[in-house]
Each structure stands twice: as structure tokens, then as C-alpha cells.
Amino acid sequence: MSQFQSIDVADYYDNETFERIKAFASDKVTPFVVIDTKIIAKQYDDMVQSFPFASVYYAVKANPAPEILSLLRDKGANFDIASIYELDMVMELGVSPERISYGNTIKKRKDVRAFYQRGVTMFASDSEADLRMIAEEAPGAKVYVRILTEGTETADWPLSRKFGCQNEMAYELLVLAKELGLKPYGLSFHVGSQQRDIGAWDAAIGKVKVIFDRLKEEHGIVLDMINMGGGFPANYIDKTNSLTTYAEQIIHFLKEDFGEQLPKIVLEPGRSLIANAGVLVSEVVLISRKSNTALERWVFTDVGKFSGLIETMDEAIKFPIYTEAQGELQPCVIAGPTCDSADIMYEQYSYGLPEELAIGDRLYWLTTGAYTTTYSAVCFNGFPPLQDYYL
Ligand SMILES: *Cc1c(COP(=O)(O)O)cnc(C)c1O
């Protein structure tokens, strides 16, 4: 028995899908990512089915390819937008402004003005300065305030510390919103991306409930909406519960706190809709050892931290890597092609790759549809940005 986990593609893709992706990939020059939009359509349907009462706002940053945006547009999705540039991408595809939320709490005055002029009326905030600016540039807009959440340790890619404010401040901001002539609309949180602990939603919903009640009792402010962000899982090496289990539990938490009459629920999935749909294909450039007796091989591949795999930072996201090479799995360090020593993907987490893996062989990085293409550097060391194809 090897100490390494071998990757069974069947845990991630059905055979027909993977063969289709592989056949498409066979004559393309590496590295590139192939994204099967059928999988995205299915994951979107699963999300809607799991949370039938919720409005889904796709977090555009996960992958803003027009193929994906138009698919989700046609399926009736809404869009969570973080910049004026993302707004352009989505509106160019004919999405109307009522389907858009400006979800970034860090924004320039001129951008708030532009969003408002283009008809967007829902804004996130988590600070007084931002809220006052919204009141000036987008008078009467609906605002929701983002709260801080716990769960940083159980999310593979935490987002929790940078955004949001303490409960007391969220409460005060919503009171201020009303004074400033805005519509205090709701509360939001993000429990951290690829959140493995479903209990993180329980804690966040509990906090939201307290603020809902206090605003109503003390100020007569009735909030309409809870935005539960993203954090839903994709399939990486570390297993998670299924989306169905997440949904059952989270709906239970909501009903425990809010009863049967739930406020309007917004979800902002990014990773969970897109990641599973992508396979990144790379080629082994070099295999070496650091001494004649070193047990560990270094496997250098033509994709790295600067060409789409930034989520391997601190080895946070462990992508399943499949290769057709045979043989016993042996320990290796996996690194990218650039002249930067940060460009090592996995060194602590010991991936086993087959003994017979050779220079020129292909590596298939599964579950790479989200947070890869746009994270890729434009020209570091002269390497072009990661190529993407959509099926
Ligand atoms: C990135 C982001 C999301 C998407 O999170 P996932 O974990 O990828 O689903 C949702 N909401 C906001 C505000 C975000 O910044």
C-alpha cells in the first residue's frame, strides 16, 4: 500500500465527460483549462433545487467568461459584481440592472455613481465612510451590511477577515442608512470559500437574527433580506459533504431562527457552480532530484502559481491531479515553470505521482474551472496567460 492517495477520476467526472474533455484537449498546446458548461448548468440547477426559495447571484469573479455569464443569464441567474469592469462584462450581455448587486464593500465614489446611473440599486457596505458615499451617489438605494464571521480555520480559502464589521457596527450602520435616506435592506456574510464546517452558517445566521430583532424592536426597521454569500463546496482532494447536505442543514438553521416565514434569501455561489466544470491540462517540463540520493523527485510543469494556480498558496486548495503514467506512487514536489521560488505548488503536502511519469507527460488538474483563468499573470517571465476553452 502506498502512503499516497491515488486519484480516481470517477470520483470527479463521469467517464463520458472526462473522455470528451480529454479528446478535445488532445491536440491543444498546454497549458490550458477546458470548461464543460454542461456541468455548470447542472450545478446551477442543483443549487436552485436545493434552495428553491433563494435568489442566486453568481459571484462573477470566480470566472467571468462570456460563455459562463450568458449561460447563467439564460438560466435566470442574478449577478454579484465587484467592479465597474465586471459590470461592463455582465451588462454587455444584456443583463438588466435589477439582476445585479454591487457586492464589494471597497469601492470608489465614481464607481458607485456609475453603477447607480446604470440602474443598479443594491449595494453592500461595511463601513460608515462607504455608507455615506452611497447615500450621496446612489440616493435611496437598498443597502445591506456585511458582518464578520468565524470559520477561518475550516474554510480552505477564507475571505472572512477582510470584509464585514462587528455586529454592533452593522446594527448602527443600518440605523444610519435609514437616517441618510437609504433603504436598510438586509445583512450579508461570507463564511469563507470552500467552507467545510456547515456549522459556520449556523453561527452567522444566529448573529443575523439578533440584529434583525434589535432593529425592529428598537427602531422599527424591518429588514427584508439575508445574503448568505458563497462558501459552498467543490470537489477537491479533501472531501466535503454534498450540496444537498449543506442545503438541508442550512435551511434547518434558518427555520430554527426565523420560523417558516423566511426573509428573502440571497446566495452568491462562485466556486461551487464553476470549479468542478474545469480540467487544467499541463505538461511535465522537467523531472529532477536535488542530489544523487534524494528520494524526492521534483516535477516541474508548464503551469504554476503565476498561470492560474494561485490558490495553491500555502497549499490551501489541493487540486486532484491525474496522469496516465503507470507505476507505484512516489513522493514529489510539484512546481511551476517560472524563475520565482514562490512558484512551488505542493511541497508540504506530499503528492504521489507514478514512478513512470516522464518528461512530456500530461497532468490533468481536476476541479480547476473557478479562480484560475483570471488569476493568471499576463506575462510573468514571458509566459502568456492561461488559455481557456469552453465546451
Ligand atoms: C468571492 C465571493 C463569493 C463567492 O464565494 P465562493 O466561495 O466562491 O462561492 C460570494 N460573495 C462574495 C461577496 C464574494 O466576494
Side-chain angles (χ1 to χ4, degrees):
M1 263 296 281
S2 158
Q3 59 174 308
F4 305 106
Q5 220 171 326
S6 68
I7 296 301
D8 186 353
V9 176
D11 288 345
Y12 301 92
Y13 300 90
D14 65 53
N15 189 47
E16 188 259 326
T17 302
F18 192 66
E19 288 305 320
R20 186 153 37 89
I21 291 174
K22 227 171 53 182
F24 176 85
S26 62
D27 62 348
K28 309 278 181 302
V29 178
T30 61
F32 56 88
V33 61
V34 184
I35 293 178
D36 184 345
T37 55
K38 262 200 225 156
I39 297 177
I40 299 175
K42 169 152 191 337
Q43 315 241 82
Y44 180 81
D45 292 343
D46 288 349
M47 193 83 192
V48 170
Q49 215 162 47
S50 303
F51 293 95
F53 48 84
S55 307
V56 175
Y57 282 67
Y58 170 54
V60 170
K61 75 173 186 288
N63 187 329
E67 291 85 349
I68 295 176
L69 297 180
S70 52
L71 170 94
L72 294 173
R73 172 201 63 198
D74 295 345
K75 284 193 153 288
N78 305 285
F79 296 88
D80 171 54
I81 302 285
S83 73
I84 190 78
Y85 309 103
E86 286 184 352
L87 181 69
D88 286 341
M89 294 176 196
V90 169
M91 288 192 86
E92 266 164 31
L93 295 171
V95 174
S96 61
E98 313 82 72
R99 291 167 69 181
I100 292 171
S101 162
Y102 194 175
N104 195 344
T105 56
I106 305 158
K107 33 187 145 28
K108 291 182 178 174
R109 177 177 290 273
K110 71 175 172 57
D111 292 340
V112 174
R113 191 182 309 149
F115 270 69
Y116 187 68
Q117 279 168 357
R118 292 170 71 175
V120 175
T121 59
M122 182 155 56
F123 295 81
S125 192
D126 64 3
S127 67
E128 184 177 337
D130 180 67
L131 190 70
R132 288 188 183 278
M133 185 177 71
I134 296 170
E136 287 164 19
E137 301 297 342
K142 293 187 275 198
V143 289
Y144 59 94
V145 172
R146 179 153 167 184
I147 59 168
L148 286 164
T149 54
E150 281 98 50
T152 308
E153 301 79 28
T154 49
D156 288 350
W157 195 256
L159 294 166
S160 333
R161 218 159 42 79
K162 179 171 173 184
F163 304 99
C165 59
Q166 293 286 356
N167 300 0
E168 189 62 28
M169 182 176 275
Y171 164 87
E172 288 166 6
L173 288 174
L174 286 161
V175 173
L176 178 63
K178 189 178 175 194
E179 286 168 18
L180 295 172
L182 294 163
K183 165 129 185 60
Y185 190 55
L187 287 157
S188 74
F189 57 81
H190 193 306
V191 293
S193 198
Q194 190 71 5
Q195 176 57 263
R196 278 179 275 102
D197 178 10
I198 308 178
W201 276 269
D202 192 14
I205 291 165
K207 287 184 176 187
V208 164
K209 170 67 174 163
V210 172
I211 304 173
F212 262 66
D213 288 349
R214 281 189 61 201
L215 283 169
K216 189 170 166 195
E217 282 156 24
E218 296 165 25
H219 293 274
I221 294 173
V222 179
L223 297 180
D224 291 333
M225 192 262 317
I226 306 173
N227 177 331
M228 299 202 292
F232 303 99
N235 300 333
Y236 300 112
I237 287 191
D238 294 331
K239 294 293 167 233
T240 64
N241 282 292
S242 68
L243 181 65
T244 320
T245 304
Y246 275 71
E248 280 166 8
Q249 293 291 308
I250 293 169
I251 292 169
H252 170 73
F253 300 146
L254 280 169
K255 293 196 168 164
E256 235 175 19
D257 281 333
F258 286 89
E260 290 299 318
Q261 288 300 318
L262 295 181
K264 185 173 158 58
I265 302 294
V266 164
L267 305 174
E268 296 178 331
R271 186 185 305 280
S272 64
L273 292 185
I274 310 297
N276 293 353
V279 175
L280 196 162
V281 186
S282 77
E283 185 181 300
V284 176
V285 178
L286 176 69
I287 300 178
S288 66
R289 294 180 202 265
K290 296 297 175 189
S291 77
N292 291 331
T293 52
L295 295 175
E296 209 168 47
R297 290 179 303 169
W298 281 65
V299 173
F300 298 93
T301 161
D302 59 1
V303 71
K305 271 221 173 71
F306 301 103
S307 39
L309 296 178
I310 195 73
E311 288 199 319
T312 61
M313 204 162 84
D314 299 328
E315 309 191 14
I317 300 285
K318 294 182 189 72
F319 296 103
I321 303 172
Y322 168 75
T323 161
E324 288 177 327
Q326 299 294 310
E328 197 186 325
L329 300 182
Q330 294 183 335
C332 53
V333 176
I334 303 177
T338 66
C339 297
D340 189 315
S341 60
D343 194 10
I344 298 172
M345 283 78 84
Y346 301 110
E347 190 172 14
Q348 302 306 320
Y349 182 81
S350 199
Y351 269 82
L353 288 175
E355 197 174 7
E356 289 169 24
L357 184 76
I359 291 173
D361 284 354
R362 285 188 159 196
L363 299 179
Y364 296 88
W365 302 67
L366 313 183
T367 320
T368 43
Y371 303 120
T372 50
T373 55
T374 48
Y375 267 148
S376 173
V378 172
C379 185
F380 183 49
N381 259 177
F383 290 103
L386 182 63
Q387 174 75 49
D388 47 350
Y389 299 102
Y390 295 83
L391 302 182

